[in-house]
């Protein structure tokens, strides 16, 4: 049997890969204050800033968009989308939103009270921020293995079940729902096992608290269950995904990931109790319930994407190409969070640049070098993002990571070979890097707009 990883698609439309010289990129970096969020995408050759909304759509999706019925109320495109979500999740009530955080804002502002607590394995940043904005504490209860970057473990996204049990007991009456993020983006795109989800589900049912999935990478999670969990290999990813949804009471979804679309999201719920209130809130902020902040053509693309993402040849290729990058880096002795997650590979900048202290932001220095020398855009997830405390003081982040988030169906295996080589070359120049200082920063979420100065 051949072992090569191949793209399970033919390419029908292409776009030139942007190309700049090192001198161009040095000028671009200086103008952007060494912040990669300030660089134009047309100046980036390989854009790994995020896997969100960066998918290449299929011919079938583009075709479906042309058949969309653009109506304010009752568009057939909505009913088609609703049918697909119901079929995949088993949830009857489907509320479209323009992206994941709009679903978060809608649900939390309607269903949470100040002083409540919502546990998860790890909340994504916008999930946490939307809970906190409603006066709710966002609590992370990921398993201990999920906090050890080099430990090989198949399900590092699992919830710490004994801690969740104690938590639900201690805070009885103050937990409006429990969440679980599949896959767990914050701890490296690590999956949650079916066994863990079953235990979390049983706990929630005993405690009478609903369980909601943050399902934006549900298909990647289902694939990891199929390929890593005992007795699951014979089932289809679709059957496994359905069991994941069956174990919960509803989900929030940023469709910009496993929906294989560039914009979109939804809330889906088994029970209708919350629905009238959510639909009223939706009309106020997003739009009428049969479009929810999207055009009908977006709903058509999403209806097709949700089925395409469960194609096992696609999922095998997706997990295979992420693993391919992580394994090649491991062979070159470049440390990454292990094992490879579904959507991203995380470089361990603290281990790669041990001479740069956290105050000089090693992961930011590495991200800048990858762009300067190789045209590769990544994202710092370290002390720039997390180091500033609410009182303005500095505390080093737990890890200094550079996230290489891989867009779906966009780059080829040849591109990955080039990128791996580029990372190896940048790593070899590591000892010459000195880190960066912050020149200016906003009060909140500084990583998006802070300006830096390279230290010499
Ligand atoms: N939940 C998770 C687990 C996410 O990863 C994201 C977005 C969201 C919710 C919010 O969805 O962007 O559609 O509003 N993650 C992106 C990322 C931005 O780069 O990881 P959104």
């Amino acid at each position: 049997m051949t072992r090569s990883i191949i793209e399970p698609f033919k390419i029908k439309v292409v776009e030139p890969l942007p190309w700049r010289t090192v001198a161009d990129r040095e000028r671009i970096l200086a103008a952007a204050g060494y912040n990669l969020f300030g660089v134009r995408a047309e100046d980036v050759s390989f854009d790994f800033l995020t896997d969100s909304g960066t998918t290449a759509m299929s011919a079938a999706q583009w075709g479906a968009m042309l058949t969309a019925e653009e109506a304010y109320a009752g568009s057939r495109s909505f009913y088609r989308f609703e049918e697909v979500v119901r079929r995949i999740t088993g949830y009857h009530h489907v509320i479209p939103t323009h992206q994941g955080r709009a679903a978060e804002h809608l649900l939390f502002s309607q269903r949470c009270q100040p002083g409540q607590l919502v546990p998860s394995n790890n909340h994504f940043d916008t999930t946490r921020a939307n809970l906190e904005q409603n006066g709710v504490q966002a609590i992370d209860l990921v398993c201990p293995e999920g906090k050890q970057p080099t430990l090989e473990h198949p399900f590092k996204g699992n919830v710490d079940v004994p801690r969740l049990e104690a938590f639900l007991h201690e805070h009885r009456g103050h937990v409006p729902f429990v969440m679980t993020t599949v896959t767990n983006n914050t701890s490296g795109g690590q999956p949650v096992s079916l066994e863990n989800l079953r235990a979390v589900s049983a706990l929630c049912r005993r405690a009478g608290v609903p369980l909601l999935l943050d399902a934006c990478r549900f298909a990647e999670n289902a694939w990891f269950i199929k390929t890593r969990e005992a007795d699951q290999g014979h089932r289809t990813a679709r059957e496994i995904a359905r069991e994941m949804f069956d174990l919960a009471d509803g989900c929030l979804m940023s469709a910009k990931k496993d929906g294989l679309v560039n914009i979109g999201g939804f809330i889906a719920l088994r029970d209708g109790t919350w629905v009238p209130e959510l639909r009223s809130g939706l009309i106020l902020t997003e739009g009428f319930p049969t479009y929810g902040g999207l055009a009908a053509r977006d709903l058509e693309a999403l209806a097709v994407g949700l089925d395409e993402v469960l194609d096992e040849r696609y999922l095998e290729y997706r997990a295979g190409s992420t693993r391919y990058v992580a394994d090649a880096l491991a062979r070159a002795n470049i440390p990454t969070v292990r094992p490879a997650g579904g959507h991203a590979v995380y470089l361990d900048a603290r281990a790669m640049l041990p001479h740069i202290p956290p105050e000089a932001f090693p992961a930011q220095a590495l991200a800048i070098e990858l762009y300067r020398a190789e045209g590769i855009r990544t994202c710092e997830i370290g002390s720039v993002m997390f180091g500033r405390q609410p009182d303005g003081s500095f505390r080093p982040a737990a890890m200094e990571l550079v996230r290489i988030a891989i867009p779906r169906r966009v780059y080829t295996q040849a591109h990955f070979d080039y990128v791996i080589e580029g990372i190896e070359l940048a790593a070899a120049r590591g000892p010459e890097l000195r880190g960066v200082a912050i020149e200016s920063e906003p009060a909140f979420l500084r990583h998006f707009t802070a300006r830096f100065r390279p230290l010499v």
Side-chain angles (χ1 to χ4, degrees):
M1 208 171 76
T2 44
R3 285 197 310 268
S4 303
I5 298 166
I6 57 162
E7 294 77 13
F9 45 80
K10 296 188 285 185
I11 297 170
K12 169 140 47 188
V13 179
V14 297
E15 184 183 331
L17 202 60
W19 209 254
R20 301 287 178 266
T21 64
V22 173
D24 289 337
R25 288 194 292 257
E26 287 176 348
R27 272 193 301 278
I28 291 162
L29 273 171
Y34 296 89
N35 188 327
L36 298 172
F37 285 99
V39 172
R40 290 185 184 208
E42 65 182 9
D43 293 326
V44 176
S45 297
F46 298 99
D47 206 345
F48 299 123
L49 196 59
T50 180
D51 66 316
S52 179
T54 50
T55 300
M57 290 207 297
S58 66
Q61 287 177 292
W62 286 109
M65 287 175 84
L66 274 179
T67 68
E69 181 177 51
E70 299 294 349
Y72 190 93
S75 152
R76 90 174 153 254
S77 303
F78 169 76
Y79 295 109
R80 181 161 177 222
F81 154 77
E82 184 186 55
E83 181 277 318
V84 174
V85 176
R86 284 178 173 170
R87 179 158 47 72
I88 290 173
T89 64
Y91 302 146
H92 186 74
H93 306 278
V94 184
I95 298 170
T97 61
H98 83 273
Q99 63 180 80
R101 67 198 72 183
E104 292 166 356
H105 171 73
L106 179 65
L107 187 92
F108 303 163
S109 60
Q110 302 287 332
R111 298 305 319 164
C112 298
Q113 306 295 328
Q116 289 183 324
L117 305 97
V118 173
S120 183
N121 41 359
N122 285 109
H123 291 280
F124 179 67
D125 324 14
T126 59
T127 322
R128 170 177 300 280
N130 272 304
L131 285 167
E132 289 173 354
Q133 217 212 1
N134 287 289
V136 178
Q137 275 189 61
I139 309 290
D140 290 339
L141 297 178
V142 73
C143 64
E145 293 85 355
K147 297 179 194 162
Q148 300 176 52
T150 55
L151 180 79
E152 294 278 351
H153 182 280
F155 292 105
K156 289 167 81 172
N158 281 353
V159 176
D160 187 333
V161 173
R163 280 183 69 204
L164 178 64
E165 184 165 23
F167 184 91
L168 289 176
H169 185 71
E170 185 183 346
H171 298 286
R172 189 181 300 272
H174 300 283
V175 179
F177 45 83
V178 171
M179 291 186 71
T180 302
T181 312
V182 292
T183 59
N184 193 21
N185 186 2
T186 304
S187 80
Q190 300 292 334
V192 179
S193 71
L194 215 43
E195 185 189 19
N196 189 255
L197 268 179
R198 287 176 184 149
V200 170
S201 170
L203 265 185
C204 290
R205 283 183 187 164
R206 268 205 307 280
V209 176
L211 172 63
L212 302 178
L213 298 182
D214 179 337
C216 60
R217 299 180 180 87
F218 76 97
E220 291 173 9
N221 200 93
W223 180 254
F224 282 124
I225 289 174
K226 180 180 168 80
T227 52
R228 292 184 182 175
E229 191 159 347
D231 300 330
Q232 297 299 326
H234 66 286
R235 300 174 75 192
T236 63
R238 191 179 287 273
E239 286 164 351
I240 295 169
R242 180 52 185 269
E243 184 176 345
M244 289 163 49
F245 288 115
D246 284 347
L247 289 166
D249 301 288
C251 70
L252 286 91
M253 172 94 184
S254 165
K256 297 171 71 174
K257 287 82 167 170
D258 276 351
L260 298 181
V261 289
N262 305 118
I263 195 73
F266 57 86
I267 300 171
L269 298 166
R270 186 186 317 289
D271 182 87
T273 317
W274 298 352
V275 171
E277 226 183 319
L278 290 174
R279 291 219 162 110
S280 305
L282 186 78
I283 292 174
L284 200 62
T285 56
E286 287 284 284
F288 193 72
T290 58
Y291 71 86
L294 293 167
R297 55 180 171 270
D298 300 322
L299 294 170
E300 290 281 352
L302 180 49
V304 176
L306 285 169
D307 271 329
E308 282 184 358
V309 79
L310 287 165
D311 171 0
E312 299 202 349
R313 295 216 45 218
Y314 161 76
L315 286 168
E316 180 181 19
Y317 141 81
R318 172 76 176 155
S321 57
T322 308
R323 190 175 60 236
Y324 177 83
V325 174
D327 289 351
L329 295 175
R331 280 194 298 277
N333 290 322
I334 294 175
T336 61
V337 173
R338 300 291 306 175
H343 67 295
V345 175
Y346 295 67
L347 302 175
D348 183 348
R350 181 171 291 161
M352 287 172 74
L353 306 173
H355 59 291
I356 302 183
E359 306 77 55
F361 307 113
Q364 182 67 14
L366 181 61
I368 292 168
E369 178 62 12
L370 286 170
Y371 174 68
R372 187 195 69 81
E374 314 296 344
I376 300 170
R377 174 155 67 173
T378 54
C379 182
E380 194 261 16
I381 302 192
S383 291
V384 173
M385 198 178 269
F386 301 122
R388 189 186 147 111
Q389 302 307 303
D391 65 3
S393 66
F394 177 78
R395 192 168 68 212
M399 294 187 263
E400 302 289 349
L401 302 177
V402 171
R403 184 177 82 163
I404 304 166
I406 302 178
R408 293 168 181 76
R409 307 193 289 207
V410 171
Y411 296 113
T412 65
Q413 283 300 108
H415 289 142
F416 290 125
D417 283 331
Y418 183 96
V419 166
I420 291 161
E421 208 182 321
I423 296 169
E424 287 178 25
L425 290 170
R429 282 191 304 276
E432 296 160 30
L433 302 179
R434 290 285 162 267
V436 295
I438 294 184
E439 290 231 296
S440 64
E441 60 181 293
F444 302 104
L445 295 171
R446 68 177 178 182
H447 54 283
F448 290 121
T449 53
R451 295 182 70 85
F452 302 89
R453 169 170 50 83
L455 297 170
V456 283

